[in-house]
C-alpha cells in the first residue's frame, strides 16, 4: 500500500500537485496493515515489537493519516474536481479502465500518461492496453479466512469509526 501523507504544508509546497485518493474498506486496510507488519516489519527493528505495540501503531497510523487527509479536504486545501479525485479501491480493481479514465478526465488528463493526452485519438487504446497488460496479473490479498479477536475488532470499530462514516462503509465487511 502506498500512502502519501497529506498535510497543509505538503500541499502548499506543491501548489500545482494533483491528488488521487484511493480509499478502501477500513477492515481490509487494517488486515492489510497487519499482513504488512507480519511480513516486513521484522526486518526493520532491532527488537521484535509486541503484538500490543504493533496493534497500537497500526490503529494510530490509521487515525493520524486519515484525519489529516480529511482535514485537508474539509479545509479546502485539496478539493474534489480541482486538484483531487477520490475513488474506492473496489472501483479501481473492478473497473480499472473506467476509473483511470475518470481520474484523467477530472484532473486535466492532457497532462497525464501514455505519451498522449486524454483528447488524443490514441488515448483510449493506450489506456486499454495499459489496463490489459500492466494490471492483468494483479491479485489482491484476501482476508476472508481471518477472524478478528473481539477486543481488536471493538478497538478498530471505535477508533476508525470516522473512516467507515466518511467513506460510507458498513461496519461489518460483506
Amino acid at each position: 500500500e502506498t500512502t502519501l501523507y497529506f498535510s497543509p504544508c505538503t500541499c502548499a509546497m506543491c501548489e500545482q500537485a494533483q491528488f488521487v485518493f484511493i480509499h478502501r474498506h477500513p477492515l481490509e486496510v487494517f488486515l492489510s496493515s497487519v499482513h504488512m507488519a507480519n511480513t516486513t516489519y521484522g526486518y526493520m527493528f532491532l527488537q521484535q515489537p509486541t503484538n500490543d505495540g504493533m496493534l497500537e501503531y497500526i490503529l494510530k497510523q490509521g487515525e493520524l493519516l486519515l484525519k489529516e487527509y480529511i482535514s485537508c479536504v474539509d479545509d479546502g486545501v485539496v478539493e474534489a474536481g480541482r486538484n483531487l479525485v477520490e475513488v474506492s479501491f473496489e472501483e479501481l480493481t473492478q473497473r480499472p479502465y473506467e476509473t483511470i479514465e475518470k481520474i484523467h478526465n477530472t484532473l486535466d488528463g492532457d497532462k497525464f500518461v501514455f505519451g498522449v493526452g486524454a483528447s488524443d485519438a490514441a488515448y483510449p487504446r493506450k489506456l486499454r492496453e495499459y489496463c490489459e497488460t500492466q494490471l492483468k496479473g494483479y491479485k489482491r490479498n484476501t482476508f476472508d479466512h481471518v477472524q478478528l479477536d473481539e477486543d481488536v475488532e471493538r478497538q478498530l470499530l471505535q477508533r476508525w469509526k470516522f473512516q467507515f462514516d466518511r467513506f460510507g462503509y458498513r461496519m461489518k465487511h460483506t
Side-chain angles (χ1 to χ4, degrees):
E1 302 200 3
T2 302
T3 303
L4 169 66
Y5 178 68
F6 273 86
S7 73
C9 180
T10 304
C11 295
M13 291 186 322
C14 308
E15 289 180 19
Q16 300 303 313
Q18 297 181 320
F19 301 94
V20 177
F21 183 80
I22 304 169
H23 57 86
R24 188 175 184 184
H25 193 287
L27 288 174
E28 285 188 33
V29 171
F30 176 79
L31 292 171
S32 181
S33 297
V34 169
H35 174 74
M36 184 173 69
N38 288 338
T39 57
T40 63
Y41 286 7
Y43 300 103
M44 300 176 174
F45 296 103
L46 294 175
Q47 292 180 297
Q48 188 65 30
T50 65
N51 285 341
D52 287 345
M54 287 311 307
L55 173 62
E56 178 58 27
Y57 175 80
I58 291 167
L59 291 172
K60 192 64 153 173
Q61 185 179 39
E63 289 171 326
L64 292 173
L65 294 175
L66 264 291
K67 284 181 179 178
E68 191 66 27
Y69 167 73
I70 290 169
S71 173
C72 286
V73 172
D74 290 350
D75 294 344
V77 175
V78 291
E79 182 180 336
R82 178 175 56 89
N83 63 346
L84 170 69
V85 176
E86 285 185 3
V87 296
S88 71
F89 186 73
E90 207 61 39
E91 179 183 6
L92 182 60
T93 56
Q94 290 180 2
R95 296 179 310 282
Y97 177 87
E98 294 82 359
T99 305
I100 295 170
E101 187 175 50
K102 175 177 118 177
I103 292 166
H104 288 188
N105 290 338
T106 303
L107 295 179
D108 192 9
D110 275 344
K111 296 179 184 174
F112 271 77
V113 295
F114 313 120
V116 297
S119 60
D120 188 300
Y123 173 81
R125 179 182 51 80
K126 295 261 192 182
L127 177 57
R128 185 118 7 233
E129 284 173 8
Y130 172 81
C131 290
E132 290 172 358
T133 58
Q134 300 299 313
L135 305 178
K136 184 178 182 179
Y138 175 75
K139 290 184 180 34
R140 73 191 275 181
N141 289 333
T142 58
F143 303 103
D144 299 336
H145 60 285
V146 177
Q147 181 66 37
L148 283 180
D149 174 83
E150 284 183 28
D151 183 55
V152 171
E153 185 174 7
R154 182 189 53 73
Q155 287 184 64
L156 174 67
L157 296 177
Q158 178 185 4
R159 292 176 65 177
W160 286 12
K161 182 181 183 309
F162 72 98
Q163 293 183 39
F164 288 89
D165 294 344
R166 179 69 178 221
F167 301 109
Y169 291 107
R170 295 169 47 130
M171 294 295 244
K172 292 286 185 186
H173 191 242
T174 54

